[in-house]
Amino acid sequence: MTRPPHTAAAPPAFRPWTTRRRELGEGLRHTGDRLVTVDILDGTLTALDPAEPGDGEALLRLDIPLGAVAPLAGHPGHWLAAAGTGAAVLAPDGSRTWLARPGAAAPARSRVNDGCCDPSGRFWFGTMPYGGERGLGRLHRVDHDGSVTTVVDGLTIPNGPAFTADGTVMYLADSGEGRIDRFRVRPEDGRLLDRDTHVVFAPGNGGPDGMVVDDGGCLWVAVWGGGVVHRYAPDGTLVAVLRLPAVQPTSPVLVAGTLFVATATIGLVPPPAGSPGSGSRHDGRVLAAVVGVSAPAAHPAVLCPGTPGVPSDAIAARPSAGVISTEVL
């Protein structure tokens, strides 16, 4: 549903949390005692301290796009990642074990985009064409046995998704179409049901990008090209608009009452002026503001022992991993 614009009664003051500008900063997540974020096109994974500003520690650098990661439950230093054209398990040294690469079969040259885990530890990620061709984006799900299922097609630029705390509702943004859809999720197997249009953006007002659901069930959405973060009530009512000193926010996260937002410089002309840390615009940096609202930490990925790339002393019987099945909505 389309909503009229709102303005926060007391807008929070955003400040740069990092000095480095990322071309396509994305995938900001709160995991353990740190934040992690990626630069998609640069293939880098960086850890940040949510208690102290700084550029953090580079954990991995891949030679392929890196859309988002989730820590692998029970295996510190290992990640389940949306990378290249599919999903892979990343070891601490950066080596990768592929589960499947569904984007490789797309009719146009494609890459991964955003992704996250639901509360059960299933990993959901999008693939999209580099050229933004309409209808060629898809959402995929990695199940506990390592199998990869294409669950939604006909998208343009899939972003998110984001889940409610009980895992029964999933929000999925299509940045290219200016729309957020709401799905009912069957927690026992991850099947998507009852797709509804939740929010529609008016043309020229930017597009929904990364999202997070707060402790009260409200949806926070980074608005690419709009320089704002929206907060929506569970019924889709727009309850707050928070303006940022950056045009292209990509990914919000809420930690102990602070909102952190990743941003990007890609496509901006002219490029941001000034030396690192100076100027009124902070495109490409992670920004932070106190908002008094929090959200659950990101969920880790849960994969069965014996899944390719998962360290294990015993190989458990399981269905074959890496097979792409479909249940397209």
Side-chain angles (χ1 to χ4, degrees):
M1 59 190 74
T2 302
R3 301 290 183 183
H6 289 61
T7 302
F14 281 90
R15 59 171 172 151
W17 201 255
T18 63
T19 60
R20 180 189 169 198
R21 298 184 190 269
R22 290 177 172 80
E23 183 181 16
L24 191 49
E26 256 277 15
L28 189 63
R29 302 286 181 266
H30 176 212
T31 173
D33 60 354
R34 60 187 177 177
L35 301 174
V36 294
T37 186
V38 302
D39 190 331
I40 292 183
L41 300 181
D42 193 40
T44 56
L45 174 65
T46 302
L48 306 174
D49 185 346
E52 197 69 37
D55 285 330
E57 173 192 3
L59 301 178
L60 294 172
R61 173 166 287 172
L62 306 184
D63 58 357
I64 54 176
L66 180 61
V69 301
L72 191 57
H75 303 286
H78 289 75
W79 306 87
L80 181 52
T85 56
V89 176
L90 304 181
D93 63 0
S95 60
R96 52 190 178 260
T97 303
W98 292 107
L99 299 180
R101 285 175 271 192
R109 182 169 172 259
S110 297
R111 63 165 174 83
V112 293
N113 204 40
D114 204 0
C116 73
C117 282
D118 64 22
S120 79
R122 298 184 185 92
F123 186 66
W124 305 68
F125 70 98
T127 53
M128 58 168 284
Y130 275 95
E133 291 88 346
R134 297 183 66 180
L136 297 185
R138 294 182 173 184
L139 179 71
H140 316 276
R141 185 187 67 227
V142 181
D143 285 303
H144 302 308
D145 64 359
S147 60
V148 178
T149 303
T150 299
V151 291
V152 184
D153 69 1
L155 305 166
T156 298
I157 303 176
N159 258 304
F163 294 88
T164 55
D166 63 3
T168 62
V169 173
M170 182 189 82
Y171 298 100
L172 177 67
D174 190 331
S175 305
E177 302 300 322
R179 187 183 72 246
I180 300 173
D181 289 338
R182 184 181 187 272
F183 298 79
R184 186 165 60 88
V185 184
R186 198 162 65 184
E188 58 267 29
D189 59 9
R191 187 170 183 83
L192 298 180
L193 307 167
D194 301 336
R195 180 179 186 175
D196 294 310
T197 300
H198 190 61
V199 175
V200 175
F201 282 63
N205 287 344
D209 206 290
M211 304 179 290
V212 65
V213 179
D214 68 24
D215 289 336
C218 291
L219 181 68
W220 296 67
V221 182
V223 182
W224 175 272
V228 296
V229 171
H230 285 180
R231 186 189 188 195
Y232 294 93
D235 67 355
T237 300
L238 180 60
V239 295
V241 175
L242 310 181
R243 186 154 298 280
L244 304 165
V247 177
Q248 295 174 158
T250 61
S251 185
V253 68
L254 292 156
V255 183
T258 297
L259 172 64
F260 297 89
V261 186
T263 69
T265 62
I266 187 171
L268 293 180
V269 181
S275 59
S278 67
S280 60
R281 285 264 302 275
H282 297 288
D283 306 279
R285 297 183 174 126
V286 174
L287 308 174
V290 176
V291 295
V293 180
S294 296
H299 299 285
V302 178
L303 292 178
C304 300
T307 301
V310 176
S312 178
D313 295 330
I315 304 299
R318 60 171 184 83
S320 297
V323 176
I324 303 173
S325 58
T326 59
E327 53 179 54
V328 177
L329 295 175

